[in-house]
Amino acid sequence: MSQLTVYADNNANKALVSTSNADDIVNQLAKVNVRFEQWQANADINEHTTHEQIISAYKNDIDRLKTENGYQTVDVISLAKGNPASSELRKKFLFEHTHSEDEVRFFVKGQGLFCLHLGNKVYQVLCQQGDLISVPELTPHWFDMGSDPEFTAIRLFNNTEGWVAKSTDSSIAEQFPLLD
């Protein structure tokens, strides 16, 4: 189940907001210019579905976002449980950073925890199957995929370079709860 937890950025021990209600999540995140949606596939998705079939199953929503926001590149990324590089991959995203473009992820399968540092608050958004999050460009954030991740996600980009992060040189990500 999707979950939003909001903390003061100086107190990871006490949640200011905690909700798993999708409408509440949408409304709370909209106040800080973060898009959160839940999508339904127009075809069955299973372990044998190709990346091209996944993109096709969500074509209408993908096309809508491309039209609204000018995204140029769409791809699918998958990570299976038991991947020997999981620890290294997890560390790659567990520091506060920004991007020069929106970070858009739709979870076809599995889950991930986006942590957004906005003003004097930290918004932790647990995204699960069916959830889309769009983190606006230049928003300080970090991502946790868990210790033994398993997910498939659609990514949309404004550029052809893909994921490029710029560290904020803050240690805040070390102070907040991880996915597990």
Side-chain angles (χ1 to χ4, degrees), residues 4-178:
L4 170 66
T5 309
V6 182
Y7 301 92
D9 68 357
N10 62 358
N11 187 353
N13 297 316
K14 183 180 178 194
L16 303 172
V17 174
S18 182
T19 183
S20 57
N21 178 286
D23 290 335
D24 290 345
I25 295 171
V26 169
N27 292 330
Q28 288 284 330
L29 292 177
K31 291 177 188 177
V32 291
N33 200 31
V34 174
R35 178 181 280 202
F36 182 86
E37 298 177 355
Q38 293 184 318
W39 293 358
Q40 297 295 319
N42 64 19
D44 287 334
I45 306 275
N46 61 46
E47 64 275 1
H48 304 295
T49 305
T50 66
H51 288 183
E52 292 78 19
Q53 290 169 324
I54 289 171
I55 290 172
S56 179
Y58 294 99
K59 183 177 181 353
N60 292 340
D61 286 309
I62 291 169
D63 288 348
R64 175 178 51 84
L65 288 184
K66 287 172 78 174
T67 299
E68 290 175 6
N69 300 99
Y71 301 122
Q72 300 174 19
T73 307
V74 177
D75 70 10
V76 176
I77 184 169
S78 295
L79 192 59
K81 270 196 172 306
N83 186 311
S86 291
S87 180
E88 288 177 39
L89 290 169
R90 185 182 197 191
K91 287 178 191 173
K92 180 179 177 181
F93 306 107
L94 276 178
F95 68 99
E96 187 181 66
H97 60 275
T98 63
H99 303 284
S100 61
E101 67 171 335
D102 299 346
E103 182 165 351
V104 184
R105 299 293 180 269
F106 172 73
F107 285 82
V108 175
K109 173 182 165 185
Q111 66 180 3
L113 182 68
F114 278 87
C115 304
L116 317 174
H117 187 191
L118 300 164
N120 61 356
K121 294 182 181 164
V122 170
Y123 294 73
Q124 289 197 320
V125 187
L126 176 61
C127 296
Q128 298 195 321
Q129 181 175 340
D131 293 344
L132 171 117
I133 189 167
S134 179
V135 178
E137 65 181 327
L138 304 178
T139 299
H141 68 282
W142 60 96
F143 174 74
D144 186 15
M145 63 179 71
S147 59
D148 191 15
E150 178 180 30
F151 64 85
T152 299
I154 296 173
R155 306 183 301 176
L156 291 95
F157 297 101
N158 287 341
N159 66 51
T160 55
E161 296 170 2
W163 191 87
V164 179
K166 181 177 185 217
S167 176
T168 65
D169 295 323
S170 169
S171 63
I172 191 168
E174 299 167 12
Q175 302 165 29
F176 284 83
L178 296 175

